[in-house]
Amino acid sequence: MDRLSAAERSTLMSKVRSGDTAPELRVRQIAHRLGLRFRLHRRDLPGSPDLIFPKHSVAIFVHGCFWHSHPGCKRASIPKSREEFWRNKLQRNVQRDQAAISALEKKGWRVVVIWECETRNIDKLEEHIGTLFRRRRKKKVGSASRVGF
Ligand SMILES: [Zn+2]
């Protein structure tokens, strides 16, 4: 199933070359495979989300576990040397993330964070992303917003 036009594909490929991270690419490939339409790195939105799905009003951030301090994740432990420096730096990242998420939510976006460690199992990731959008199509949904897995 290939729903990208030639122009979209060439945009996609140029982004690939400009240093995108593997976890983000995995998310993108799955979204593409599921036939979802998305845009990348919209600078005009708070935090410039990695992917947005305009039709569904869904914004996805693909976060590195270390840099964004994935709670409870072993990849997110603070280095022993210069601990104070790292603690401050990472805390600022988390605060910036939280500010971006609440600003997006105020604008009516449903924000989903996908962590780097959650992109390793492709099948699970695909199921998760599929669920996010399938659920949207049902008429009445109880708790609509869920972040992460
Ligand atoms: Zn993690």
Side-chain angles (χ1 to χ4, degrees):
M1 187 159 32
D2 191 348
R3 302 197 188 180
L4 281 187
S5 70
E8 282 173 314
R9 175 170 303 285
S10 103
T11 309
L12 189 76
M13 294 319 285
S14 71
K15 302 268 183 183
V16 170
R17 279 193 297 270
S18 63
D20 287 307
T21 61
E24 195 186 319
L25 290 182
R26 283 184 212 127
V27 172
R28 240 187 256 174
Q29 278 159 3
I30 288 167
H32 177 212
R33 194 152 62 218
L34 294 172
L36 299 161
R37 297 203 151 268
F38 55 92
R39 295 283 172 268
L40 304 172
H41 307 290
R42 285 285 299 268
R43 305 264 172 234
D44 54 332
L45 290 174
S48 49
D50 296 310
L51 292 87
I52 59 159
F53 301 80
K55 207 171 103 188
H56 304 268
S57 298
V58 169
I60 291 184
F61 288 99
V62 184
H63 278 347
C65 297
F66 176 73
W67 290 106
H68 298 269
S69 301
H70 185 192
C73 177
K74 65 173 190 280
R75 295 167 170 226
S77 56
I78 292 180
K80 292 269 186 286
S81 71
R82 305 181 71 204
E83 192 176 342
E84 192 59 27
F85 164 82
W86 284 112
R87 198 175 293 283
N88 289 332
K89 186 178 181 63
L90 298 174
Q91 197 178 344
R92 277 196 303 277
N93 289 348
V94 170
Q95 282 164 352
R96 203 178 306 131
D97 292 342
Q98 282 166 351
I101 289 170
S102 54
L104 283 164
E105 285 175 345
K106 277 197 196 112
K107 286 172 177 279
W109 292 89
R110 187 156 63 109
V111 183
V112 177
V113 173
I114 294 177
W115 294 96
E116 173 190 3
C117 64
E118 296 169 338
T119 65
R120 304 189 78 186
N121 184 327
I122 291 287
D123 292 339
K124 246 177 109 177
L125 182 63
E126 179 158 345
E127 194 184 310
H128 175 53
I129 293 172
T131 307
L132 288 174
F133 293 95
R134 259 197 309 280
R135 199 165 50 168
R136 202 64 177 175
R137 281 183 211 131
K138 287 179 194 155
K139 279 210 168 130
K140 272 222 158 173
V141 183
S143 55
S145 71
R146 194 175 61 144
V147 173
F149 276 106

